[in-house]
Amino acid sequence: MSISSPKATSLLAGRRRQRGYAAASAALLLAALLSGCAGAASADSGALQASGSTTVAPVASDAAEALKARNLNITVATQGGSAGGISQLSAGQIEVALSSKPLSDKDRKAHPDTDFVPTQIGADAVGIIVTKEVADGGVDSLTKEQLKGLFEGKITNWSEVGGPDMKVFVYDKEPGRGTREVLDKYVYGDEEPPPPPQSGNYAVVGGNLETRNKLKSTPGSIAPLSTGFIAGHQELVAVKLDGIAPTPENVASNTYPMTRPLFMITDGEPQGTAKTFIDYILSPEGQKLLPAHGYLTREQMGL
């Protein structure tokens, strides 16, 4: 058994103090990190979530950006289009659903426990978009019956509707998209549309940007798409429907047959940040966001 000298005892005590200080510092650092993470999580969980239509999303995103100056944290997504937003709202995953279609009886029956309150923020037109070579080749206007034949795969060459000798390639919207529902309502009324054609010249697409990119990269293609998304894209043309063009005047008067309202939908009357968000878009400042994306304001629609 050895007995430590006073000097050795003092050195040992010093080392123990150093280890104690290090442990305490590490504990403080860990606590600070955890506190910071908790604060970040709290801030994220407090963000207003809006999701749905890729048509409404650009306006919602611009409004969210403008409201950052008021220290409001609003995130905008586009999972599943209008139907996806409505489903997410019903499931309590978001506070605001973005929709480019009116709520249907089918929507309400599918989500009976949700008190859907739609607020119309403006309107736009679903255009039947073709590539420039198709329009230049003679396709200026299409009838309802011709549209039916094109989207059902019965018309396969543009020469069949007065256009160039060129194969038709159809890009249709996936079910649940507001654009698809507006097209189906115009072509089929209250009837159930038939299943998609089994054709190599037919494909289903999702959002507006995807649709536009597919149209631009595929000769002889056609697709339903918000007319606001082809502004500045000279290689794409919105044809007339039964002789009626999707002009702002025809949309405002509802003369153009595929005019549609744009909505923000809440579960119950808008409250808190959701109300601030929607009220901003309804304000004179917020309404200026709609024409910037090719849409009509509430005032233009006589609302």
Side-chain angles (χ1 to χ4, degrees):
M1 179 177 178
S2 62
I3 300 175
S4 300
S5 67
K7 183 177 180 180
T9 301
S10 175
L11 181 61
L12 181 59
R15 288 174 177 170
R16 285 174 177 167
R17 282 195 299 272
Q18 288 175 351
R19 285 197 296 269
Y21 295 152
S25 297
L28 287 170
L29 178 61
L30 179 61
L33 288 171
L34 290 173
S35 175
C37 290
S42 176
D44 288 343
S45 62
L48 178 78
Q49 306 288 330
S51 183
S53 166
T54 57
T55 302
V56 181
V59 175
S61 295
D62 287 353
E65 185 65 27
L67 289 171
K68 279 185 179 179
R70 302 186 193 179
N71 295 319
L72 294 181
N73 187 2
I74 300 169
T75 62
V76 177
T78 56
Q79 286 102 355
S82 298
I86 290 168
S87 294
Q88 291 172 71
L89 178 66
S90 180
Q93 298 169 344
I94 60 174
E95 291 75 39
V96 178
L98 314 175
S99 181
S100 55
K101 73 179 189 70
L103 280 162
S104 64
D105 290 339
K106 185 177 179 181
D107 293 324
R108 295 185 186 278
K109 288 177 182 177
H111 311 285
D113 297 329
T114 305
D115 179 19
F116 291 116
V117 176
T119 301
Q120 185 175 348
I121 63 168
D124 88 320
V126 173
I128 295 300
I129 312 301
V130 300
T131 53
K132 191 174 185 298
E133 66 262 33
V134 171
D136 289 348
V139 179
D140 174 67
S141 180
L142 292 168
T143 67
K144 190 181 295 185
E145 283 304 310
Q146 287 172 332
L147 271 187
K148 187 182 293 187
L150 286 161
F151 281 86
E152 290 181 5
K154 295 173 183 175
I155 296 174
T156 59
N157 192 294
W158 284 110
S159 62
E160 298 175 61
V161 291
D165 182 11
M166 193 176 197
K167 285 185 178 180
V168 174
F169 195 103
V170 175
Y171 284 112
D172 201 359
K173 289 278 192 170
E174 62 189 357
R177 295 276 177 176
T179 302
R180 168 72 179 272
E181 291 201 12
V182 171
L183 174 62
D184 285 348
K185 185 71 175 177
Y186 171 63
V187 174
Y188 300 104
D190 294 329
E191 295 179 9
E192 192 72 21
Q198 299 299 313
S199 167
N201 283 17
Y202 179 97
V204 174
V205 290
N208 288 331
L209 289 175
E210 180 190 0
T211 305
R212 187 177 69 194
N213 290 339
K214 294 288 189 181
L215 280 165
K216 290 172 69 172
S217 64
T218 309
S221 56
I222 179 174
L225 177 65
S226 169
T227 55
F229 274 76
I230 68 166
H233 296 269
Q234 302 302 321
E235 62 271 60
L236 300 177
V237 178
V239 301
K240 298 171 185 173
L241 296 182
D242 288 315
I244 301 172
T247 63
E249 295 76 20
N250 288 339
V251 173
S253 64
N254 279 300
T255 304
Y256 180 71
M258 291 208 297
T259 295
R260 63 174 172 182
L262 305 177
F263 295 101
M264 305 192 86
I265 306 172
T266 51
D267 184 359
E269 293 294 331
Q271 297 180 7
T273 304
K275 177 173 172 52
T276 302
F277 186 36
I278 294 173
D279 284 349
Y280 174 79
I281 295 177
L282 297 179
S283 73
E285 182 181 354
Q287 285 288 285
K288 292 177 183 177
L289 301 174
L290 284 112
H293 294 285
Y295 309 151
L296 272 68
T297 64
R298 286 173 55 88
E299 183 178 5
Q300 288 174 298
M301 295 303 296
L303 299 175

Short mmCIF file of all heavy atoms in Angstrom, two decimals, residues 135-196:
data_model
loop_
_atom_site.label_atom_id
_atom_site.label_comp_id
_atom_site.label_asym_id
_atom_site.label_seq_id
_atom_site.Cartn_x
_atom_site.Cartn_y
_atom_site.Cartn_z
N ALA A 135 -51.45 23.96 -84.71
CA ALA A 135 -52.28 25.15 -84.92
C ALA A 135 -52.00 25.77 -86.30
O ALA A 135 -52.93 26.11 -87.05
CB ALA A 135 -52.03 26.17 -83.82
N ASP A 136 -50.72 25.89 -86.64
CA ASP A 136 -50.35 26.46 -87.95
C ASP A 136 -50.83 25.57 -89.10
O ASP A 136 -51.05 26.05 -90.22
CB ASP A 136 -48.83 26.64 -88.05
CG ASP A 136 -48.33 27.77 -87.16
OD1 ASP A 136 -49.16 28.56 -86.67
OD2 ASP A 136 -47.10 27.85 -86.95
N GLY A 137 -51.00 24.28 -88.81
CA GLY A 137 -51.44 23.34 -89.84
C GLY A 137 -52.94 23.35 -90.08
O GLY A 137 -53.44 22.58 -90.91
N GLY A 138 -53.68 24.18 -89.32
CA GLY A 138 -55.10 24.32 -89.59
C GLY A 138 -56.04 24.07 -88.43
O GLY A 138 -57.26 24.24 -88.56
N VAL A 139 -55.52 23.66 -87.27
CA VAL A 139 -56.40 23.40 -86.12
C VAL A 139 -56.52 24.69 -85.30
O VAL A 139 -55.67 25.02 -84.49
CB VAL A 139 -55.85 22.26 -85.24
CG1 VAL A 139 -56.79 22.02 -84.05
CG2 VAL A 139 -55.73 20.98 -86.06
N ASP A 140 -57.62 25.40 -85.55
CA ASP A 140 -57.88 26.67 -84.87
C ASP A 140 -58.94 26.52 -83.80
O ASP A 140 -58.94 27.22 -82.79
CB ASP A 140 -58.31 27.71 -85.91
CG ASP A 140 -58.74 29.02 -85.29
OD1 ASP A 140 -57.87 29.70 -84.71
OD2 ASP A 140 -59.94 29.36 -85.36
N SER A 141 -59.87 25.59 -84.04
CA SER A 141 -60.99 25.38 -83.12
C SER A 141 -61.38 23.90 -83.14
O SER A 141 -61.24 23.22 -84.16
CB SER A 141 -62.19 26.24 -83.55
OG SER A 141 -63.29 26.05 -82.68
N LEU A 142 -61.84 23.41 -81.99
CA LEU A 142 -62.29 22.02 -81.88
C LEU A 142 -63.69 21.99 -81.29
O LEU A 142 -64.03 22.81 -80.42
CB LEU A 142 -61.33 21.22 -80.98
CG LEU A 142 -59.93 20.97 -81.54
CD1 LEU A 142 -59.02 20.42 -80.44
CD2 LEU A 142 -59.96 20.01 -82.73
N THR A 143 -64.48 21.04 -81.75
CA THR A 143 -65.82 20.86 -81.19
C THR A 143 -65.75 19.90 -80.00
O THR A 143 -64.74 19.21 -79.79
CB THR A 143 -66.78 20.27 -82.23
OG1 THR A 143 -66.36 18.93 -82.53
CG2 THR A 143 -66.77 21.11 -83.50
N LYS A 144 -66.83 19.84 -79.26
CA LYS A 144 -66.90 18.92 -78.12
C LYS A 144 -66.74 17.47 -78.59
O LYS A 144 -66.05 16.67 -77.94
CB LYS A 144 -68.23 19.10 -77.40
CG LYS A 144 -68.34 18.37 -76.08
CD LYS A 144 -69.70 18.59 -75.43
CE LYS A 144 -69.92 20.04 -75.05
NZ LYS A 144 -71.19 20.22 -74.31
N GLU A 145 -67.35 17.13 -79.73
CA GLU A 145 -67.26 15.76 -80.25
C GLU A 145 -65.84 15.44 -80.70
O GLU A 145 -65.36 14.32 -80.52
CB GLU A 145 -68.23 15.58 -81.42
CG GLU A 145 -69.68 15.41 -80.99
CD GLU A 145 -69.88 14.26 -80.01
OE1 GLU A 145 -69.40 13.15 -80.31
OE2 GLU A 145 -70.51 14.47 -78.96
N GLN A 146 -65.17 16.42 -81.29
CA GLN A 146 -63.78 16.20 -81.68
C GLN A 146 -62.89 16.00 -80.46
O GLN A 146 -61.99 15.13 -80.47
CB GLN A 146 -63.29 17.38 -82.52
CG GLN A 146 -63.87 17.43 -83.92
CD GLN A 146 -63.52 18.70 -84.67
OE1 GLN A 146 -63.30 19.76 -84.08
NE2 GLN A 146 -63.48 18.61 -85.99
N LEU A 147 -63.13 16.78 -79.42
CA LEU A 147 -62.36 16.58 -78.17
C LEU A 147 -62.57 15.19 -77.62
O LEU A 147 -61.62 14.53 -77.19
CB LEU A 147 -62.79 17.62 -77.12
CG LEU A 147 -62.09 18.96 -77.08
CD1 LEU A 147 -62.56 19.75 -75.87
CD2 LEU A 147 -60.58 18.80 -77.05
N LYS A 148 -63.81 14.75 -77.62
CA LYS A 148 -64.12 13.41 -77.13
C LYS A 148 -63.34 12.36 -77.93
O LYS A 148 -62.75 11.44 -77.37
CB LYS A 148 -65.63 13.16 -77.23
CG LYS A 148 -66.08 11.86 -76.60
CD LYS A 148 -67.58 11.64 -76.77
CE LYS A 148 -68.39 12.65 -75.98
NZ LYS A 148 -69.86 12.31 -76.02
N GLY A 149 -63.33 12.53 -79.25
CA GLY A 149 -62.61 11.58 -80.10
C GLY A 149 -61.11 11.59 -79.86
O GLY A 149 -60.46 10.54 -79.86
N LEU A 150 -60.56 12.78 -79.62
CA LEU A 150 -59.12 12.89 -79.37
C LEU A 150 -58.74 12.24 -78.05
O LEU A 150 -57.78 11.45 -77.98
CB LEU A 150 -58.71 14.37 -79.37
CG LEU A 150 -58.66 15.05 -80.75
CD1 LEU A 150 -58.70 16.56 -80.60
CD2 LEU A 150 -57.40 14.62 -81.50
N PHE A 151 -59.48 12.56 -76.98
CA PHE A 151 -59.10 12.07 -75.66
C PHE A 151 -59.51 10.62 -75.42
O PHE A 151 -59.02 9.98 -74.50
CB PHE A 151 -59.66 12.99 -74.57
CG PHE A 151 -58.84 14.24 -74.38
CD1 PHE A 151 -59.06 15.35 -75.18
CD2 PHE A 151 -57.81 14.29 -73.46
CE1 PHE A 151 -58.29 16.49 -75.04
CE2 PHE A 151 -57.03 15.41 -73.31
CZ PHE A 151 -57.26 16.53 -74.11
N GLU A 152 -60.38 10.09 -76.27
CA GLU A 152 -60.74 8.67 -76.17
C GLU A 152 -59.88 7.82 -77.12
O GLU A 152 -60.05 6.60 -77.18
CB GLU A 152 -62.22 8.48 -76.49
CG GLU A 152 -63.14 9.02 -75.41
CD GLU A 152 -64.61 8.81 -75.72
OE1 GLU A 152 -64.91 8.15 -76.75
OE2 GLU A 152 -65.46 9.29 -74.95
N GLY A 153 -58.97 8.45 -77.85
CA GLY A 153 -58.07 7.71 -78.71
C GLY A 153 -58.68 7.28 -80.03
O GLY A 153 -58.11 6.44 -80.74
N LYS A 154 -59.83 7.85 -80.41
CA LYS A 154 -60.49 7.48 -81.66
C LYS A 154 -59.98 8.32 -82.83
O LYS A 154 -60.06 7.89 -83.98
CB LYS A 154 -62.00 7.63 -81.51
CG LYS A 154 -62.60 6.66 -80.49
CD LYS A 154 -64.07 6.96 -80.25
CE LYS A 154 -64.63 6.02 -79.17
NZ LYS A 154 -66.04 6.36 -78.82
N ILE A 155 -59.52 9.53 -82.55
CA ILE A 155 -58.90 10.39 -83.57
C ILE A 155 -57.40 10.33 -83.32
O ILE A 155 -56.92 10.76 -82.27
CB ILE A 155 -59.41 11.83 -83.48
CG1 ILE A 155 -60.91 11.88 -83.79
CG2 ILE A 155 -58.63 12.73 -84.43
CD1 ILE A 155 -61.54 13.26 -83.60
N THR A 156 -56.67 9.79 -84.26
CA THR A 156 -55.24 9.54 -84.04
C THR A 156 -54.32 10.35 -84.94
O THR A 156 -53.10 10.31 -84.77
CB THR A 156 -54.93 8.04 -84.23
OG1 THR A 156 -55.30 7.67 -85.57
CG2 THR A 156 -55.71 7.20 -83.22
N ASN A 157 -54.91 11.08 -85.89
CA ASN A 157 -54.11 11.91 -86.79
C ASN A 157 -54.78 13.27 -86.92
O ASN A 157 -56.01 13.35 -87.07
CB ASN A 157 -53.97 11.25 -88.16
CG ASN A 157 -52.90 11.92 -89.02
OD1 ASN A 157 -53.02 13.09 -89.42
ND2 ASN A 157 -51.83 11.19 -89.31
N TRP A 158 -53.98 14.33 -86.87
CA TRP A 158 -54.54 15.67 -86.89
C TRP A 158 -55.26 15.99 -88.20
O TRP A 158 -56.11 16.87 -88.26
CB TRP A 158 -53.45 16.70 -86.63
CG TRP A 158 -53.06 16.76 -85.18
CD1 TRP A 158 -51.88 16.35 -84.61
CD2 TRP A 158 -53.87 17.23 -84.10
NE1 TRP A 158 -51.91 16.52 -83.25
CE2 TRP A 158 -53.12 17.08 -82.90
CE3 TRP A 158 -55.16 17.76 -84.01
CZ2 TRP A 158 -53.60 17.44 -81.65
CZ3 TRP A 158 -55.66 18.14 -82.77
CH2 TRP A 158 -54.88 17.98 -81.61
N SER A 159 -54.94 15.26 -89.26
CA SER A 159 -55.62 15.49 -90.53
C SER A 159 -57.11 15.17 -90.45
O SER A 159 -57.91 15.66 -91.25
CB SER A 159 -54.97 14.65 -91.63
OG SER A 159 -55.09 13.26 -91.33
N GLU A 160 -57.51 14.38 -89.45
CA GLU A 160 -58.92 14.01 -89.27
C GLU A 160 -59.77 15.17 -88.77
O GLU A 160 -61.00 15.14 -88.83
CB GLU A 160 -59.04 12.83 -88.31
CG GLU A 160 -58.36 11.55 -88.80
CD GLU A 160 -58.41 10.45 -87.75
OE1 GLU A 160 -59.53 10.05 -87.37
OE2 GLU A 160 -57.33 9.99 -87.31
N VAL A 161 -59.10 16.22 -88.23
CA VAL A 161 -59.84 17.38 -87.75
C VAL A 161 -59.38 18.66 -88.47
O VAL A 161 -59.43 19.75 -87.92
CB VAL A 161 -59.71 17.54 -86.21
CG1 VAL A 161 -60.45 16.43 -85.50
CG2 VAL A 161 -58.24 17.57 -85.78
N GLY A 162 -58.92 18.49 -89.70
CA GLY A 162 -58.53 19.63 -90.51
C GLY A 162 -57.12 20.13 -90.29
O GLY A 162 -56.77 21.23 -90.73
N GLY A 163 -56.28 19.33 -89.65
CA GLY A 163 -54.92 19.73 -89.37
C GLY A 163 -53.90 19.04 -90.25
O GLY A 163 -54.26 18.42 -91.27
N PRO A 164 -52.64 19.10 -89.88
CA PRO A 164 -51.58 18.48 -90.69
C PRO A 164 -51.59 16.96 -90.57
O PRO A 164 -52.20 16.40 -89.65
CB PRO A 164 -50.30 19.06 -90.06
CG PRO A 164 -50.67 19.33 -88.64
CD PRO A 164 -52.11 19.77 -88.67
N ASP A 165 -50.93 16.32 -91.53
CA ASP A 165 -50.80 14.85 -91.49
C ASP A 165 -49.76 14.52 -90.43
O ASP A 165 -48.57 14.39 -90.71
CB ASP A 165 -50.37 14.34 -92.86
CG ASP A 165 -50.26 12.81 -92.89
OD1 ASP A 165 -50.71 12.16 -91.92
OD2 ASP A 165 -49.72 12.28 -93.87
N MET A 166 -50.23 14.39 -89.20
CA MET A 166 -49.33 14.26 -88.06
C MET A 166 -50.03 13.46 -86.97
O MET A 166 -51.23 13.65 -86.71
CB MET A 166 -48.99 15.67 -87.55
CG MET A 166 -47.86 15.77 -86.59
SD MET A 166 -47.56 17.55 -86.23
CE MET A 166 -45.93 17.40 -85.53
N LYS A 167 -49.31 12.55 -86.35
CA LYS A 167 -49.91 11.74 -85.29
C LYS A 167 -50.27 12.59 -84.08
O LYS A 167 -49.56 13.54 -83.73
CB LYS A 167 -48.95 10.62 -84.87
CG LYS A 167 -48.85 9.48 -85.87
CD LYS A 167 -47.98 8.35 -85.32
CE LYS A 167 -47.93 7.19 -86.29
NZ LYS A 167 -47.08 6.08 -85.76
N VAL A 168 -51.37 12.23 -83.45
CA VAL A 168 -51.82 12.90 -82.22
C VAL A 168 -51.18 12.22 -81.02
O VAL A 168 -51.15 10.99 -80.94
CB VAL A 168 -53.36 12.82 -82.09
CG1 VAL A 168 -53.80 13.39 -80.74
CG2 VAL A 168 -54.04 13.54 -83.24
N PHE A 169 -50.66 13.02 -80.09
CA PHE A 169 -50.22 12.45 -78.81
C PHE A 169 -50.96 13.20 -77.71
O PHE A 169 -50.85 14.42 -77.60
CB PHE A 169 -48.71 12.58 -78.60
CG PHE A 169 -48.21 11.70 -77.48
CD1 PHE A 169 -47.55 10.51 -77.76
CD2 PHE A 169 -48.45 12.02 -76.16
CE1 PHE A 169 -47.12 9.66 -76.73
CE2 PHE A 169 -48.04 11.19 -75.12
CZ PHE A 169 -47.37 10.01 -75.41
N VAL A 170 -51.72 12.45 -76.91
CA VAL A 170 -52.56 13.04 -75.87
C VAL A 170 -51.88 12.94 -74.51
O VAL A 170 -51.46 11.85 -74.08
CB VAL A 170 -53.93 12.33 -75.80
CG1 VAL A 170 -54.75 12.87 -74.63
CG2 VAL A 170 -54.68 12.51 -77.11
N TYR A 171 -51.77 14.09 -73.83
CA TYR A 171 -51.36 14.11 -72.42
C TYR A 171 -52.60 14.48 -71.62
O TYR A 171 -53.09 15.60 -71.69
CB TYR A 171 -50.25 15.13 -72.18
CG TYR A 171 -48.89 14.67 -72.67
CD1 TYR A 171 -48.27 15.29 -73.75
CD2 TYR A 171 -48.24 13.62 -72.05
CE1 TYR A 171 -47.03 14.88 -74.20
CE2 TYR A 171 -47.00 13.18 -72.49
CZ TYR A 171 -46.40 13.82 -73.57
OH TYR A 171 -45.17 13.39 -74.01
N ASP A 172 -53.10 13.53 -70.87
CA ASP A 172 -54.30 13.76 -70.06
C ASP A 172 -53.89 13.94 -68.60
O ASP A 172 -52.87 13.42 -68.16
CB ASP A 172 -55.25 12.57 -70.20
CG ASP A 172 -56.68 12.92 -69.84
OD1 ASP A 172 -56.93 14.08 -69.46
OD2 ASP A 172 -57.54 12.04 -69.94
N LYS A 173 -54.71 14.67 -67.87
CA LYS A 173 -54.43 14.88 -66.45
C LYS A 173 -54.88 13.67 -65.63
O LYS A 173 -55.88 13.01 -65.95
CB LYS A 173 -55.17 16.12 -65.95
CG LYS A 173 -54.60 17.42 -66.48
CD LYS A 173 -53.40 17.85 -65.68
CE LYS A 173 -53.01 19.27 -66.00
NZ LYS A 173 -52.00 19.79 -65.06
N GLU A 174 -54.16 13.40 -64.54
CA GLU A 174 -54.53 12.28 -63.69
C GLU A 174 -55.85 12.57 -62.97
O GLU A 174 -56.19 13.74 -62.74
CB GLU A 174 -53.41 11.99 -62.69
CG GLU A 174 -53.11 13.13 -61.74
CD GLU A 174 -51.87 12.87 -60.91
OE1 GLU A 174 -51.28 11.80 -61.06
OE2 GLU A 174 -51.50 13.76 -60.13
N PRO A 175 -56.61 11.54 -62.62
CA PRO A 175 -57.88 11.73 -61.93
C PRO A 175 -57.70 12.53 -60.64
O PRO A 175 -56.69 12.40 -59.95
CB PRO A 175 -58.33 10.29 -61.62
CG PRO A 175 -57.66 9.46 -62.67
CD PRO A 175 -56.33 10.13 -62.91
N GLY A 176 -58.67 13.38 -60.34
CA GLY A 176 -58.62 14.19 -59.13
C GLY A 176 -58.06 15.58 -59.36
O GLY A 176 -58.22 16.46 -58.51
N ARG A 177 -57.40 15.79 -60.49
CA ARG A 177 -56.90 17.12 -60.82
C ARG A 177 -58.07 18.00 -61.25
O ARG A 177 -58.95 17.58 -61.99
CB ARG A 177 -55.87 17.04 -61.95
CG ARG A 177 -54.61 16.28 -61.57
CD ARG A 177 -53.63 17.17 -60.85
NE ARG A 177 -52.44 16.44 -60.42
CZ ARG A 177 -51.40 17.00 -59.83
NH1 ARG A 177 -51.40 18.30 -59.58
NH2 ARG A 177 -50.36 16.29 -59.47
N GLY A 178 -58.05 19.26 -60.79
CA GLY A 178 -59.12 20.18 -61.14
C GLY A 178 -59.26 20.35 -62.63
O GLY A 178 -60.39 20.41 -63.17
N THR A 179 -58.13 20.40 -63.33
CA THR A 179 -58.15 20.58 -64.79
C THR A 179 -58.88 19.42 -65.47
O THR A 179 -59.69 19.63 -66.38
CB THR A 179 -56.71 20.66 -65.32
OG1 THR A 179 -56.05 21.76 -64.68
CG2 THR A 179 -56.68 20.87 -66.81
N ARG A 180 -58.62 18.22 -65.01
CA ARG A 180 -59.25 17.04 -65.59
C ARG A 180 -60.77 17.06 -65.34
O ARG A 180 -61.57 16.75 -66.23
CB ARG A 180 -58.64 15.78 -64.96
CG ARG A 180 -59.38 14.47 -65.22
CD ARG A 180 -59.24 14.00 -66.65
NE ARG A 180 -59.94 12.73 -66.84
CZ ARG A 180 -59.39 11.54 -66.63
NH1 ARG A 180 -58.14 11.45 -66.21
NH2 ARG A 180 -60.08 10.44 -66.83
N GLU A 181 -61.18 17.47 -64.16
CA GLU A 181 -62.61 17.49 -63.83
C GLU A 181 -63.36 18.52 -64.67
O GLU A 181 -64.50 18.31 -65.07
CB GLU A 181 -62.81 17.72 -62.34
CG GLU A 181 -62.36 16.55 -61.48
CD GLU A 181 -62.98 16.53 -60.11
OE1 GLU A 181 -63.95 17.29 -59.88
OE2 GLU A 181 -62.50 15.76 -59.26
N VAL A 182 -62.71 19.67 -64.93
CA VAL A 182 -63.34 20.70 -65.76
C VAL A 182 -63.52 20.18 -67.18
O VAL A 182 -64.57 20.37 -67.80
CB VAL A 182 -62.50 21.99 -65.75
CG1 VAL A 182 -63.03 22.99 -66.77
CG2 VAL A 182 -62.52 22.62 -64.36
N LEU A 183 -62.50 19.50 -67.71
CA LEU A 183 -62.58 18.92 -69.06
C LEU A 183 -63.68 17.87 -69.12
O LEU A 183 -64.51 17.86 -70.05
CB LEU A 183 -61.24 18.32 -69.46
CG LEU A 183 -61.21 17.55 -70.78
CD1 LEU A 183 -61.55 18.45 -71.95
CD2 LEU A 183 -59.84 16.88 -70.98
N ASP A 184 -63.72 16.98 -68.14
CA ASP A 184 -64.72 15.92 -68.12
C ASP A 184 -66.14 16.50 -68.04
O ASP A 184 -67.07 16.00 -68.69
CB ASP A 184 -64.49 14.98 -66.94
CG ASP A 184 -63.30 14.04 -67.16
OD1 ASP A 184 -62.82 13.97 -68.31
OD2 ASP A 184 -62.86 13.41 -66.19
N LYS A 185 -66.30 17.55 -67.25
CA LYS A 185 -67.61 18.17 -67.10
C LYS A 185 -68.06 18.77 -68.42
O LYS A 185 -69.24 18.66 -68.81
CB LYS A 185 -67.55 19.26 -66.02
CG LYS A 185 -68.88 19.90 -65.69
CD LYS A 185 -69.79 18.94 -64.95
CE LYS A 185 -71.08 19.62 -64.51
NZ LYS A 185 -72.01 18.66 -63.84
N TYR A 186 -67.15 19.39 -69.13
CA TYR A 186 -67.48 20.00 -70.42
C TYR A 186 -67.82 18.94 -71.47
O TYR A 186 -68.81 19.06 -72.19
CB TYR A 186 -66.32 20.87 -70.90
CG TYR A 186 -66.47 21.36 -72.32
CD1 TYR A 186 -67.53 22.21 -72.67
CD2 TYR A 186 -65.57 20.97 -73.32
CE1 TYR A 186 -67.67 22.65 -73.99
CE2 TYR A 186 -65.71 21.42 -74.63
CZ TYR A 186 -66.77 22.26 -74.96
OH TYR A 186 -66.91 22.69 -76.25
N VAL A 187 -67.02 17.90 -71.54
CA VAL A 187 -67.19 16.89 -72.59
C VAL A 187 -68.32 15.91 -72.28
O VAL A 187 -69.11 15.55 -73.15
CB VAL A 187 -65.86 16.13 -72.82
CG1 VAL A 187 -66.06 14.99 -73.81
CG2 VAL A 187 -64.78 17.08 -73.33
N TYR A 188 -68.41 15.47 -71.01
CA TYR A 188 -69.34 14.39 -70.68
C TYR A 188 -70.52 14.81 -69.82
O TYR A 188 -71.43 14.01 -69.58
CB TYR A 188 -68.58 13.26 -69.96
CG TYR A 188 -67.48 12.67 -70.79
CD1 TYR A 188 -66.14 12.97 -70.54
CD2 TYR A 188 -67.76 11.81 -71.86
CE1 TYR A 188 -65.12 12.44 -71.30
CE2 TYR A 188 -66.74 11.28 -72.64
CZ TYR A 188 -65.43 11.60 -72.36
OH TYR A 188 -64.42 11.08 -73.14
N GLY A 189 -70.52 16.05 -69.36
CA GLY A 189 -71.62 16.49 -68.50
C GLY A 189 -71.64 15.70 -67.20
O GLY A 189 -70.62 15.56 -66.53
N ASP A 190 -72.80 15.15 -66.88
CA ASP A 190 -72.93 14.37 -65.64
C ASP A 190 -72.62 12.89 -65.84
O ASP A 190 -72.69 12.10 -64.90
CB ASP A 190 -74.35 14.52 -65.07
CG ASP A 190 -74.63 15.94 -64.61
OD1 ASP A 190 -73.67 16.62 -64.18
OD2 ASP A 190 -75.79 16.39 -64.71
N GLU A 191 -72.29 12.52 -67.07
CA GLU A 191 -71.97 11.12 -67.33
C GLU A 191 -70.55 10.79 -66.86
O GLU A 191 -69.68 11.65 -66.81
CB GLU A 191 -72.06 10.83 -68.83
CG GLU A 191 -73.45 10.96 -69.41
CD GLU A 191 -73.47 10.69 -70.90
OE1 GLU A 191 -72.43 10.24 -71.44
OE2 GLU A 191 -74.51 10.95 -71.54
N GLU A 192 -70.34 9.51 -66.53
CA GLU A 192 -69.02 9.06 -66.12
C GLU A 192 -68.14 8.91 -67.37
O GLU A 192 -68.53 8.24 -68.33
CB GLU A 192 -69.12 7.71 -65.41
CG GLU A 192 -67.87 7.27 -64.70
CD GLU A 192 -67.57 8.07 -63.45
OE1 GLU A 192 -68.51 8.69 -62.90
OE2 GLU A 192 -66.40 8.06 -63.02
N PRO A 193 -66.95 9.54 -67.38
CA PRO A 193 -66.09 9.40 -68.56
C PRO A 193 -65.58 7.96 -68.69
O PRO A 193 -65.45 7.25 -67.69
CB PRO A 193 -64.93 10.36 -68.27
CG PRO A 193 -64.93 10.55 -66.80
CD PRO A 193 -66.36 10.42 -66.36
N PRO A 194 -65.30 7.53 -69.90
CA PRO A 194 -64.81 6.16 -70.11
C PRO A 194 -63.38 6.00 -69.59
O PRO A 194 -62.69 7.00 -69.35
CB PRO A 194 -64.86 6.00 -71.63
CG PRO A 194 -64.68 7.39 -72.16
CD PRO A 194 -65.39 8.28 -71.17
N PRO A 195 -62.92 4.77 -69.43
CA PRO A 195 -61.54 4.55 -69.00
C PRO A 195 -60.56 5.04 -70.07
O PRO A 195 -60.93 5.16 -71.24
CB PRO A 195 -61.45 3.04 -68.81
CG PRO A 195 -62.57 2.48 -69.63
CD PRO A 195 -63.65 3.50 -69.60
N PRO A 196 -59.32 5.34 -69.68
CA PRO A 196 -58.33 5.83 -70.65
C PRO A 196 -58.11 4.82 -71.77
O PRO A 196 -58.21 3.62 -71.56
CB PRO A 196 -57.06 5.99 -69.80
CG PRO A 196 -57.53 6.06 -68.39
CD PRO A 196 -58.77 5.23 -68.33
#
